[in-house]
Amino acid sequence: MLPPTELADRVRRFTPAERWVHRSTAVLMGVCVATAACLYLPQLAELVGRRALVVTLHEWSGLLLPAPFLAGLVSRAFRADLGRLNRFGPHDRVWLRAVLRRRPARPAGKFNAGQKLWAAWLAGAVLVMLGTGLLMWFTHLAPLAWRTGSTFVHDWLALALGIVIAGHVGMAAGDPEARRGMRTGLVRRDWARREHGEWLP
């Protein structure tokens, strides 16, 4: 528990429900990526063994991936943040231009434009992975040509997901205050003003 002097200098960024959704999604996504690596890399497959168990873990973690999101819809704060993530304002365009031109002044609301693009891309990728995965799992759902295409899309999108998730983790590693916000729900007021000034002027 923080002393009152430090607590007064902090602002709530995420509720427990929002943090639960993030952590649950991260665990399921981590299991998906780790099991996919074991299925596709011979060195890992030999090290781990028990391919049938790895396949089962991969299938069920992928199938359950939307569950934290759906459960999170019960939370008013989570729904409000979804609204923020789905809306681009003028400051988001300024933020993107500043990133492309490597300028330090990057105005942002509660979520910056990069976080909004990441959330949109991840949501779309999860839906595509779920759809193609179901076609690969239940082979009677579609003709061979569809299943072949699904396998191609699933494999290459999995590689792209692994790369962007590594980037996401790397960026989080470089921002301890953002990690603290996701871990405890609270961030320093000066950090919020500097990084998300449109949210906390």
Side-chain angles (χ1 to χ4, degrees):
M1 186 70 180
L2 290 169
T5 51
E6 286 189 38
L7 198 58
D9 192 43
R10 297 187 183 269
V11 62
R12 179 161 297 282
R13 184 161 171 79
F14 297 113
T15 64
E18 292 172 291
R19 300 196 319 269
W20 177 86
V21 169
H22 185 268
R23 287 173 187 163
S24 303
T25 303
V27 168
L28 289 169
M29 185 66 77
V31 173
C32 278
V33 171
T35 52
C38 292
L39 291 171
Y40 284 97
L41 298 175
Q43 299 86 347
L44 282 177
E46 289 176 14
L47 185 66
V48 174
R50 304 194 66 180
R51 184 177 175 86
L53 175 62
V54 173
V55 169
T56 301
L57 283 173
H58 184 75
E59 290 170 342
W60 281 102
S61 60
L63 195 63
L64 291 172
L65 202 49
F69 172 86
L70 295 173
L73 293 175
V74 174
S75 164
R76 183 179 297 164
F78 182 70
R79 293 195 306 272
D81 275 354
L82 283 180
R84 293 183 184 101
L85 282 166
N86 285 325
R87 282 194 296 272
F88 269 75
H91 59 276
D92 293 311
R93 287 188 285 275
V94 173
W95 190 94
L96 287 170
R97 281 196 298 271
V99 168
L100 292 173
R101 295 171 185 171
R102 298 178 186 271
R103 292 178 181 167
R106 300 173 184 176
K110 186 172 183 181
F111 303 103
N112 63 44
Q115 291 167 326
K116 292 178 181 182
L117 290 173
W118 158 251
W121 188 88
L122 186 62
V126 166
L127 289 175
V128 172
M129 292 296 279
L130 185 61
T132 54
L134 286 171
L135 286 176
M136 293 162 63
W137 190 1
F138 300 104
T139 54
H140 62 281
L141 290 178
L144 178 62
W146 286 25
R147 298 198 307 271
T148 303
S150 292
T151 303
F152 178 83
V153 171
H154 197 86
D155 290 354
W156 282 102
L157 187 53
L159 178 61
L161 265 169
I163 292 169
V164 296
I165 288 171
H168 179 68
V169 171
M171 292 186 75
D175 193 341
E177 193 62 27
R179 291 199 316 275
R180 185 179 292 111
M182 191 51 73
R183 192 175 65 251
T184 68
L186 301 172
V187 293
R188 289 198 326 268
R189 196 172 292 274
D190 62 332
W191 177 88
R193 284 201 186 97
R194 184 178 69 250
E195 300 292 333
H196 302 275
E198 300 293 320
W199 169 55
L200 189 71

